[in-house]
C-alpha cells in the first residue's frame, strides 16, 4: 500500500478552522445562560418585578442569606472533620481493609442530600420527645432555640455525611506521594509527626482541600429537596418561590444574577489563593506505605474511616432497607410502572447528557490544546467554571432567559421557532449539559495534560494532520479519562433534582423528581423503591470509577 | 547547641519490607569512626537506600543493632523515632518545602534556637555553599544544583551526629555533579560530620569516601579504602562496578578460572603466543583523551574491551594481541 507522504504544515489548514469555529460556538452556547443572567442585572425591571424585588429585599433576602451561610459554613466544617482524617490515614498507612474502606468512603456521593433527608425522618422523629420535654420544662423560648439548633444541626450533619467525599477525594490526592516524602524530610529535621503535619503536609494540601470544600459549598447551595423538607428558606428555595410562588421570573432572574456574581467572586478568590502557592508536587519515588505502629494509631486508622462511612453510607442504607421491608413501601403495579418509566427517563437523560458533555468537552479541550488562541482558552475556562459554579436553579433561570430571547429572535411560525417551542426536553438537556459540562471538561483536560506534547509532535512529523493525530493518538490514550468523565456525569445527572423539577416537560418524571413528588404528596414511604434504584445506579457508577482508577492522575495505589 | 559527630556501629542489621519475599538488607555490619565519610556503592536494588532508611529510623529492621556514639538507636526491644535520632538526611530529590523560603527551609530543623543564632547559622551555611543572598527566594526559583546545595545545608544546620546522603547528585549532569561533589566534601570536612554517602556512581564513591562499602544483593561484599577497592577488587561484581570488565580465559590452562581485568589493565600490541588473547579488531571508539578498542578473540570467547591512548592508531580488522599493562 502506497504511503502518503504529507509534509507537516505550520499553518493548521482548513479542517482545524472549522473545528475552531465549532469550539467557539459550543463555548458560547454553554455560557449563554450565564451571560443572559448577568445581562439581566443591567436591564431595568418592570414595575411589578421591581415591587417584588423590593419585597424580596425587605422581607426574604436577609433570612435566606443567613440560612444559606450557616448551612454552608456548618456543612463545610463538618465535611472537613469527616473527610480530612480519613484521607490522611488512608494515604499514610497500610492496614487490612484499606482498599475496601477507601472505596466505601467515596460511596456516600451516591446518595443525594434530599434522599438522605427523607431517610432520616424516623431518626429525627426520635428527637421529638426530647423537644416536648424541653418545651414543658423550660418554656417556649428555650424550646424554640433548641428546635432551631437541632434543625440546623440535623441538616448540617446530613449534608456533611453525604458530601464529605469531595473533601476526602481532594485530601487523598493531596496527601499522597510527595506529601509523604516531604513529611519524612520534616521528621529527619527533628519534628514530631504532628508538627510535620501542621507545618508541611497541611499547608501543601490546603489548595486541594479548599477546592473540595468549594464543591461541598456548591452542593449545599444547589440543594432544594433537603432544605425544603426540613423547613429552611435558603437562596435556592427563595428563587423557586419567587419564580413559581410569586410568578415573578424577572425578579428571580435578578436574584440569580446576584448569586452568580457572588459565586464568581468566590471562585476568583479560590483560584487566586491556589495560584499564590507555587506548589510543584512531584510524585516519583514514593516510599512503601508502612503499617500503623501501635494500637492507638491502628484504632485511629479504622475509626477515621468507619465514622464517616457509618454516617454517610451505613445509616442511610439501613434506613432504606428497613423501609423496603415495610409493607407500606411495597409498590403497586401502577407504582412499578411509574418507577420503571422514571428509571428509563433517567437513563436516557443521563446517556444523552453524558454523550453531549463528552463530545463538547473533547471538541473544546482538544482545540484549546492545539490552538494558541488565548481568547478560546479563556472561553473554555469560563464555560467550565460557569457550569459547576452555578446552582441548578440559577442555570434553569438562565435557560429560560435564553429560551425567551430565542423566541424573540425566532418567533412562532418560523421553522426554528416552532421547533424551539415544541422541544421541551431539549431545554432540559441543554441546562444539564451547561451545568455538568465542567465535570467532563475537567476529566478530559487532566487526561490531555498527562499526554506530553512530544506525542503530538511525533505523529505530526510522521505525517498526520492535527485531527488525525488527535483521533489516533490522543483519543485512545484518553479512554480512562473519558470513561471516568462519562460515569461521573451520568451519576450527577441521575441525582439532579432542581433542574429536572424546573425544566422538565409535562409528565416527564425522572427518578429524582418521582422521589420528590412522592414525598411532596405526603407518601414518604413510597419513595423507598425509586430511591433504591437511584442509589444503586449511582453506586455502581462510583464503584466502577474507583476500582478502575479512572479518577486518579497517577498509577493506582498499592493495595 | 552543638552535637559532636559520633561513631556509628551497625551490627548484623537485616530488613525485609512488608509484602516482600526477599530481604532488602541482610546482616549488614560495619563501624564508622567519628568525622569519617563512608561511601556505599552498588547497583540499583542492592539495598543501599534501604540501609539508610533503617539507620534513619524511617524503617524498622527486623534484626540487628544500630548504635550512634553511646546511644542505642535500634535493637531488640528498643527503637528511637527518626525525629529523635539527631540524624540528618539529604535525599536525591532534595525535598525542599515548596511553601517556605530558603531561609525558612534551612532553619526548619533549628528548634529552640535563638532567632539571632538561627539567622547567623543560616547565613554562614549559605555562604559556605556559594548561595549568599538567596535567603528570601523560594525553592522553585532555584536551579537543580542550587536546590541540592540548600538541601545539604538544611540537613547540616542542626549539626547532626550523623549525616545520611542518598544519591544526592543523581539528578544533576556530570559537570555540575563534580562541582557539587567538591563543595560538599569541603563543607562536610569543615563541619567534621560523620557521613554515610550512598551512590550508584563509582567515581563519586571513590572521590568522596574515606572508606568504601560495596553492596550487592542486600549484603556488603567488600569494605576497604578507595584505593584498595580499585586496585584489588574482591570479586568480579566489585570490579564490574568500577569499570567495564573483561573475562579473559587463562590461556595456560583452559580448566583454570578466567582472569577478570578492567579495560585499563590490558593493552594492545602485535600478536604473539605469550599474549593473553589474540584476535581481530571489530570496533574503534574515539573518546577524546583515549580510545576504546573492541577485539574479538580467536577462541570465540567474549569480546574484549581495551582502553588505549588516543595517539595510537589502529584499523578495523587489524589482528592484535592483548597483554597486561606493565
Amino acid at each position: 500500500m502506497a504511503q502518503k507522504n504529507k509534509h507537516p504544515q505550520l499553518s493548521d489548514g482548513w479542517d482545524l478552522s472549522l473545528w475552531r469555529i465549532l469550539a467557539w460556538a459550543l463555548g458560547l452556547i454553554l455560557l449563554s445562560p450565564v451571560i443572559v443572567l448577568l445581562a439581566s442585572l443591567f436591564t431595568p425591571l418592570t414595575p411589578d418585578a421591581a415591587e417584588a424585588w423590593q419585597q424580596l429585599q425587605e422581607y426574604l433576602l436577609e433570612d435566606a442569606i443567613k440560612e444559606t451561610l450557616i448551612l454552608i459554613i456548618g456543612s463545610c466544617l463538618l465535611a472537613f472533620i469527616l473527610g480530612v482524617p480519613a484521607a490522611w490515614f488512608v494515604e499514610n498507612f497500610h492496614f487490612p481493609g484499606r482498599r475496601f474502606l477507601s472505596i466505601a468512603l467515596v460511596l456516600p456521593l451516591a446518595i443525594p442530600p434530599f434522599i438522605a433527608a427523607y431517610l432520616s425522618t424516623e431518626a429525627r422523629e426520635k428527637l421529638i420527645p426530647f423537644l416536648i420535654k424541653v418545651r414543658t420544662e423550660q418554656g417556649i423560648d428555650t424550646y424554640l432555640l433548641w428546635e432551631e439548633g437541632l434543625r440546623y444541626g440535623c441538616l448540617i450533619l446530613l449534608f456533611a455525611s453525604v458530601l464529605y467525599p469531595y473533601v476526602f477525594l481532594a485530601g487523598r490526592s493531596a496527601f499522597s506521594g510527595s506529601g509523604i516524602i516531604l513529611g519524612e524530610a520534616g521528621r529527619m529535621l527533628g519534628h514530631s509527626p504532628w508538627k510535620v503535619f501542621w507545618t508541611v503536609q497541611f499547608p501543601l494540601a490546603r489548595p486541594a482541600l479548599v477546592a473540595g470544600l468549594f464543591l461541598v459549598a456548591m452542593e449545599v447551595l444547589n440543594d432544594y429537596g433537603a432544605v425544603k423538607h426540613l423547613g429552611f428558606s435558603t437562596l435556592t428555595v427563595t428563587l423557586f418561590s419567587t419564580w413559581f410562588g410569586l410568578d415573578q421570573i424577572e425578579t428571580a432572574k435578578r436574584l440569580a444574577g446576584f448569586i452568580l456574581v457572588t459565586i464568581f467572586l468566590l471562585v476568583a478568590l479560590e483560584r487566586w489563593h491556589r495560584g499564590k502557592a507555587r506548589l510543584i508536587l512531584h510524585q516519583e519515588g514514593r516510599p512503601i506505605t508502612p503499617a500503623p505502629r501501635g494500637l492507638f494509631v491502628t484504632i485511629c486508622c479504622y475509626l477515621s474511616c468507619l465514622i464517616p462511612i457509618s454516617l454517610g453510607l451505613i445509616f442511610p442504607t439501613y434506613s432504606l432497607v428497613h423501609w423496603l421491608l415495610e409493607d407500606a413501601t411495597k409498590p403497586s403495579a401502577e407504582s412499578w410502572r411509574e418507577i420503571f418509566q422514571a428509571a428509563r427517563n433517567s437513563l436516557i437523560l443521563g446517556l444523552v447528557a453524558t454523550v453531549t458533555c463528552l463530545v463538547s468537552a473533547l471538541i473544546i479541550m482538544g482545540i484549546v490544546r492545539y490552538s494558541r488562541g488565548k481568547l478560546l482558552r479563556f472561553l473554555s475556562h469560563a464555560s467550565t467554571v460557569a457550569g459547576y459554579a452555578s446552582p441548578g436553579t440559577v442555570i434553569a433561570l438562565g435557560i429560560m432567559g435564553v429560551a425567551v430571547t430565542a423566541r424573540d429572535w425566532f418567533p412562532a411560525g418560523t421553522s426554528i421557532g416552532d421547533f424551539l417551542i415544541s422541544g421541551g426536553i431539549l431545554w432540559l438537556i441543554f441546562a444539564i449539559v451547561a451545568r455538568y459540562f465542567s465535570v467532563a471538561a475537567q476529566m478530559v483536560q487532566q487526561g490531555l495534560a498527562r499526554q506530553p506534547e512530544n506525542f503530538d509532535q511525533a505523529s505530526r512529523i510522521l505525517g498526520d494532520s492535527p485531527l488525525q493525530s488527535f483521533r489516533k493518538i490522543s483519543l485512545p490514550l484518553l479512554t480512562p479519562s473519558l470513561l471516568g468523565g462519562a460515569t461521573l456525569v451520568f451519576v450527577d445527572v441521575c441525582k439532579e433534582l432542581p433542574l429536572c423539577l424546573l425544566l422538565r416537560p409535562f409528565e416527564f418524571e425522572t427518578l429524582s423528581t418521582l422521589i420528590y413528588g412522592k414525598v411532596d404528596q405526603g407518601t414518604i414511604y413510597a419513595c423507598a423503591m425509586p430511591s433504591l434504584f437511584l442509589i444503586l445506579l449511582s453506586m455502581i457508577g462510583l464503584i466502577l470509577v474507583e476500582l478502575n482508577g479512572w479518577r486518579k492522575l497517577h498509577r493506582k495505589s498499592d493495595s | 547547641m552543638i552535637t559532636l559527630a559520633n561513631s556509628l556501629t551497625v551490627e548484623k542489621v537485616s530488613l525485609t519490607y512488608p509484602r516482600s519475599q526477599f530481604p532488602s538488607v541482610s546482616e549488614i555490619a560495619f563501624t564508622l569512626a567519628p568525622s569519617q565519610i563512608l561511601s556505599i556503592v552498588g547497583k540499583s536494588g542492592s539495598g543501599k537506600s534501604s540501609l539508610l532508611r533503617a539507620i534513619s529510623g524511617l524503617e524498622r529492621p527486623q534484626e540487628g543493632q544500630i548504635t550512634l556514639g553511646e546511644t542505642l538507636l535500634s535493637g531488640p526491644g528498643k527503637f528511637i523515632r527518626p525525629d529523635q535520632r539527631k540524624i540528618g538526611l539529604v535525599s536525591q530529590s532534595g525535598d525542599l518545602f515548596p511553601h517556605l523560603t530558603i531561609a525558612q527551609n534551612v532553619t526548619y530543623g533549628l528548634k529552640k534556637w535563638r532567632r539571632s543564632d538561627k539567622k547567623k547559622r543560616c547565613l554562614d551555611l549559605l555562604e559556605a555553599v556559594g548561595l549568599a543572598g538567596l535567603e528570601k527566594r523560594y525553592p522553585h526559583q532555584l536551579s537543580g544544583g542550587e536546590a541540592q546545595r540548600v538541601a545539604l545545608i538544611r540537613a547540616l544546620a542542626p549539626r547532626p551526629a550523623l549525616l545520611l546522603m542518598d544519591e544526592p547528585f543523581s539528578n544533576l549532569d556530570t559537570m555540575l555533579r563534580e562541582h557539587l561533589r567538591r563543595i560538599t566534601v569541603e563543607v562536610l570536612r569543615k563541619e567534621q560530620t560523620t557521613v554515610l554517602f550512598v551512590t550508584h556512581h563509582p567515581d563519586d564513591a571513590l572521590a568522596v569516601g574515606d572508606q568504601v562499602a560495596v553492596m550487592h544483593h542486600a549484603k556488603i561484599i567488600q569494605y576497604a579504602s578507595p584505593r584498595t577497592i580499585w586496585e584489588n577488587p574482591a570479586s568480579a561484581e566489585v570490579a564490574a562496578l568500577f569499570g567495564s570488565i573483561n573475562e579473559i580465559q587463562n590461556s595456560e590452562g583452559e580448566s583454570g578460572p578466567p582472569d577478570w581485568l578492567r579495560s585499563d589493565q590490558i593493552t594492545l600490541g602485535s600478536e604473539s603466543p605469550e599474549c593473553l588473547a589474540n584476535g581481530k579488531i571489530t570496533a574503534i571508539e574515539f573518546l577524546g583523551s583515549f580510545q576504546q578498542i573492541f577485539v574479538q578473540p580467536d577462541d570465540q570467547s567474549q569480546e574484549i574491551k581495551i582502553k588505549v591512548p588516543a595517539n595510537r592508531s589502529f584499523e578495523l580488522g587489524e589482528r592484535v594481541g592483548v597483554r597486561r599493562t606493565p
Side-chain angles (χ1 to χ4, degrees):
Chain A
M1 200 157 86
Q3 286 275 47
K4 196 163 75 161
N5 280 334
K6 244 173 42 172
H7 291 289
Q9 302 290 328
L10 282 177
S11 63
D12 282 322
W14 173 242
D15 48 331
L16 203 54
S17 301
L18 262 184
W19 287 105
R20 205 180 266 133
I21 293 171
L22 187 57
W24 266 96
L26 270 173
L28 284 170
I29 290 174
L30 287 169
L31 263 183
S32 57
V34 166
I35 294 173
V36 160
L37 280 177
L38 290 175
S40 77
L41 285 175
F42 300 103
T43 47
L45 292 169
T46 61
D48 271 348
E51 195 189 322
W53 178 246
Q54 185 72 12
Q55 286 192 345
L56 198 73
Q57 282 186 298
E58 265 186 52
Y59 299 112
L60 295 174
L61 209 53
E62 202 183 304
D63 282 338
I65 293 175
K66 184 190 93 170
E67 288 186 10
T68 311
L69 277 176
I70 294 177
L71 286 173
I72 287 180
I73 293 172
S75 307
C76 285
L77 271 172
L78 192 54
F80 185 90
I81 293 171
L82 289 173
V84 168
W88 195 80
F89 281 106
V90 156
E91 277 306 310
N92 279 282
F93 294 105
H94 185 276
F95 47 94
R98 177 178 92 151
R99 180 115 167 91
F100 170 77
L101 287 173
S102 187
I103 296 178
L105 278 162
V106 177
L107 293 185
L109 278 181
I111 303 174
F114 66 97
I115 295 185
Y118 303 153
L119 291 173
S120 71
T121 307
E122 286 178 353
R124 282 182 289 111
E125 280 169 0
K126 294 203 171 82
L127 291 169
I128 294 178
F130 167 73
L131 284 170
I132 292 174
K133 192 165 166 234
V134 166
R135 173 146 181 201
T136 45
E137 287 177 14
Q138 296 181 31
I140 194 156
D141 289 330
T142 322
Y143 160 76
L144 284 173
L145 264 168
W146 269 103
E147 193 263 338
E148 177 131 329
L150 280 173
R151 214 160 46 94
Y152 272 109
C154 284
L155 190 53
I156 287 174
L157 183 62
L158 273 167
F159 275 134
S161 303
V162 298
L163 296 176
Y164 80 81
Y166 286 124
V167 181
F168 169 72
L169 285 167
R172 203 171 63 174
S173 75
F175 290 136
S176 65
S178 60
I180 299 177
I181 295 172
L182 292 176
E184 284 186 349
R187 296 287 302 279
M188 293 311 302
L189 288 162
H191 290 283
S192 67
W194 193 235
K195 183 90 193 280
V196 165
F197 174 74
W198 282 113
T199 54
V200 176
Q201 291 173 313
F202 182 68
L204 290 175
R206 211 168 48 206
L209 292 175
V210 165
L213 285 172
F214 190 83
L215 288 174
V216 173
M218 287 298 106
E219 288 283 337
V220 173
L221 183 60
N222 184 57
D223 180 80
Y224 178 68
V227 295
K228 187 146 180 292
H229 189 63
L230 268 84
F232 286 95
S233 283
T234 56
L235 285 166
T236 298
V237 174
T238 309
L239 269 176
F240 256 83
S241 55
T242 310
W243 185 352
F244 287 108
L246 295 178
D247 200 23
Q248 288 293 344
I249 194 169
E250 294 302 316
T251 317
K253 272 163 64 179
R254 176 160 284 211
L255 178 60
F258 277 115
I259 295 175
L260 262 185
V261 168
T262 315
I263 296 174
F264 287 162
L265 281 173
L266 287 171
V267 169
L269 194 69
E270 188 239 328
R271 293 284 155 107
W272 172 79
H273 171 263
R274 208 193 309 173
K276 233 172 46 133
R278 310 280 188 97
L279 301 167
I280 307 146
L281 299 176
H282 56 86
Q283 301 282 352
E284 87 237 5
R286 182 200 162 138
I288 297 173
T289 7
R293 291 215 190 112
L295 186 61
F296 176 68
V297 180
T298 313
I299 291 177
C300 285
C301 287
Y302 283 106
L303 273 182
S304 69
C305 296
L306 290 171
I307 293 176
I309 291 174
S310 305
L311 286 172
L313 191 63
I314 297 178
F315 176 70
T317 316
Y318 168 77
S319 302
L320 185 62
V321 167
H322 185 60
W323 281 14
L324 285 167
L325 295 173
E326 299 275 334
D327 281 333
T329 63
K330 294 277 183 292
S332 62
E334 171 68 20
S335 301
W336 275 117
R337 202 183 58 79
E338 260 184 337
I339 293 170
F340 282 126
Q341 187 132 355
R344 190 200 67 161
N345 289 343
S346 283
L347 267 168
I348 295 175
L349 196 63
L351 280 169
V352 171
T354 301
V355 168
T356 316
C357 281
L358 278 180
V359 170
S360 311
L362 277 171
I363 292 173
I364 294 181
M365 292 304 162
I367 294 298
V368 164
R369 181 176 168 85
Y370 282 99
S371 103
R372 296 274 169 259
K374 283 204 177 126
L375 212 51
L376 184 58
R377 209 171 286 264
F378 173 75
L379 182 70
S380 83
H381 195 65
S383 43
T384 312
V385 170
Y388 91 86
S390 309
T393 336
V394 165
I395 295 252
L397 277 164
I399 296 286
M400 293 309 294
V402 171
V404 163
T405 314
R407 280 190 210 127
D408 285 341
W409 290 353
F410 305 104
T414 60
S415 52
I416 297 182
D418 287 337
F419 171 72
L420 287 173
I421 289 177
S422 63
I425 190 86
L426 288 174
W427 295 112
L428 176 59
I429 294 174
F430 181 7
I432 286 183
V433 171
R435 171 128 165 83
Y436 292 111
F437 164 76
S438 68
V439 176
Q442 279 179 353
M443 293 294 273
V444 170
Q445 194 177 42
Q446 285 166 3
L448 282 174
R450 287 178 64 202
Q451 293 174 21
E453 280 192 6
N454 296 345
F455 287 6
D456 307 320
Q457 286 166 5
S459 102
R460 293 298 303 277
I461 285 172
L462 289 163
D464 280 339
S465 71
L467 197 57
Q468 286 172 323
S469 171
F470 189 77
R471 188 175 52 84
K472 295 195 297 189
I473 310 293
S474 298
L475 211 51
L477 289 173
L478 272 177
T479 312
S481 305
L482 290 176
L483 287 169
T487 317
L488 291 173
V489 170
F490 185 78
V491 167
D492 275 334
V493 171
C494 284
K495 286 162 49 187
E496 173 63 42
L497 178 64
L499 268 179
C500 296
L501 277 178
L502 290 166
L503 291 178
R504 61 187 165 143
F506 188 60
E507 287 202 356
F508 183 86
E509 296 275 13
T510 61
L511 280 171
S512 51
T513 59
L514 183 69
I515 293 164
Y516 174 82
K518 294 286 177 205
V519 175
D520 207 37
Q521 289 160 17
T523 52
I524 193 168
Y525 289 103
C527 82
M529 192 55 79
S531 297
L532 177 69
F533 270 62
L534 180 62
I535 292 174
L536 273 179
L537 211 56
S538 305
M539 265 198 207
I540 290 171
L542 286 173
I543 291 174
L544 274 174
V545 170
E546 289 305 305
L547 275 181
N548 288 304
W550 289 335
R551 201 196 300 266
K552 293 194 180 168
L553 296 182
H554 49 279
R555 57 173 168 77
K556 282 196 268 189
S557 60
D558 50 316
S559 50
Chain B
M1 185 187 77
I2 297 177
T3 310
L4 291 173
N6 276 316
S7 61
L8 173 71
T9 309
V10 175
E11 290 171 85
K12 287 204 159 187
V13 164
S14 293
L15 169 71
T16 310
Y17 285 108
R19 307 181 293 284
S20 172
Q21 249 190 315
F22 303 106
S24 299
V25 173
S26 178
E27 296 191 337
I28 298 280
F30 63 86
T31 304
L32 191 57
S35 304
Q36 254 202 336
I37 303 178
L38 171 66
S39 297
I40 303 182
V41 66
K43 286 205 199 133
S44 304
S46 53
K48 319 184 289 295
S49 298
S50 305
L51 177 60
L52 281 197
R53 289 181 71 82
I55 295 173
S56 66
L58 293 169
E59 302 291 343
R60 188 168 187 162
Q62 281 82 15
E63 286 166 27
Q65 271 184 297
I66 301 172
T67 314
L68 185 61
E70 306 282 318
T71 317
L72 178 66
L73 298 180
S74 154
K78 180 98 191 268
F79 183 79
I80 298 187
R81 282 173 13 191
D83 45 292
Q84 291 167 342
R85 290 191 179 199
K86 298 189 181 44
I87 295 180
L89 176 64
V90 184
S91 70
Q92 188 172 333
S93 42
D95 298 337
L96 297 181
F97 304 131
H99 61 304
L100 302 178
T101 61
I102 300 307
Q104 286 167 332
N105 263 284
V106 172
T107 54
Y108 187 82
L110 306 182
K111 300 186 294 183
K112 298 185 185 146
W113 281 42
R114 277 207 303 264
R115 194 182 281 192
S116 52
D117 293 337
K118 278 194 201 182
K119 192 170 170 185
K120 183 169 187 310
R121 180 76 174 143
C122 173
L123 293 176
D124 286 346
L125 283 171
L126 280 171
E127 177 140 2
V129 292
L131 293 178
L134 296 186
E135 317 72 74
K136 291 201 167 62
R137 296 228 187 138
Y138 282 89
H140 70 270
Q141 294 172 300
L142 301 183
S143 70
E146 288 170 341
Q148 210 55 9
R149 277 182 268 174
V150 173
L152 172 65
I153 59 176
R154 182 178 72 173
L156 281 175
R159 295 205 172 88
L162 172 68
L163 181 68
L164 306 174
M165 302 183 75
D166 192 354
E167 311 214 31
F169 311 134
S170 290
N171 283 347
L172 310 171
D173 62 70
T174 314
M175 285 201 54
L176 192 53
R177 223 175 73 227
E178 284 178 12
H179 176 61
L180 233 56
R181 202 168 64 201
R182 269 200 56 197
I183 296 179
T184 302
V185 172
E186 261 175 43
V187 170
L188 291 176
R189 297 281 180 221
K190 192 165 148 215
E191 296 278 318
Q192 296 183 318
T193 322
T194 313
V195 182
L196 229 60
F197 175 82
V198 158
T199 180
H200 65 266
H201 281 291
D203 36 352
D204 284 346
L206 296 176
V208 170
D210 300 314
Q211 295 286 309
V212 176
V214 179
M215 278 190 77
H216 184 68
H217 288 334
K219 291 183 187 287
I220 291 182
I221 53 177
Q222 190 172 4
Y223 185 112
S225 70
R227 196 168 281 274
T228 308
I229 297 267
W230 176 259
E231 288 172 357
N232 294 309
S235 66
E237 285 84 13
V238 175
L241 265 179
F242 292 92
S244 17
I245 184 139
N246 298 294
E247 180 188 353
I248 299 181
Q249 202 56 39
N250 197 327
S251 51
E252 282 173 28
E254 279 176 13
S255 55
D259 287 328
W260 295 96
L261 296 165
R262 280 196 304 271
S263 48
D264 57 290
Q265 289 176 310
I266 46 181
T267 188
L268 290 178
S270 32
E271 283 189 80
S272 124
E274 284 90 40
C275 285
L276 292 171
N278 293 300
K280 210 162 60 166
I281 293 181
T282 50
I284 303 174
E285 284 179 354
F286 173 68
L287 294 170
S289 55
F290 63 93
Q291 298 177 82
Q292 245 169 201
I293 313 275
F294 294 83
V295 173
Q296 179 59 53
D298 290 333
D299 59 5
Q300 298 307 310
S301 53
Q302 272 193 328
E303 208 174 47
I304 302 173
K305 190 160 90 169
I306 306 115
K307 241 186 203 176
V308 296
N311 54 10
R312 292 181 64 184
S313 70
F314 293 93
E315 278 175 19
L316 273 178
E318 189 179 329
R319 288 201 56 84
V320 286
V322 178
R323 27 182 119 216
R324 282 182 200 270
T325 323

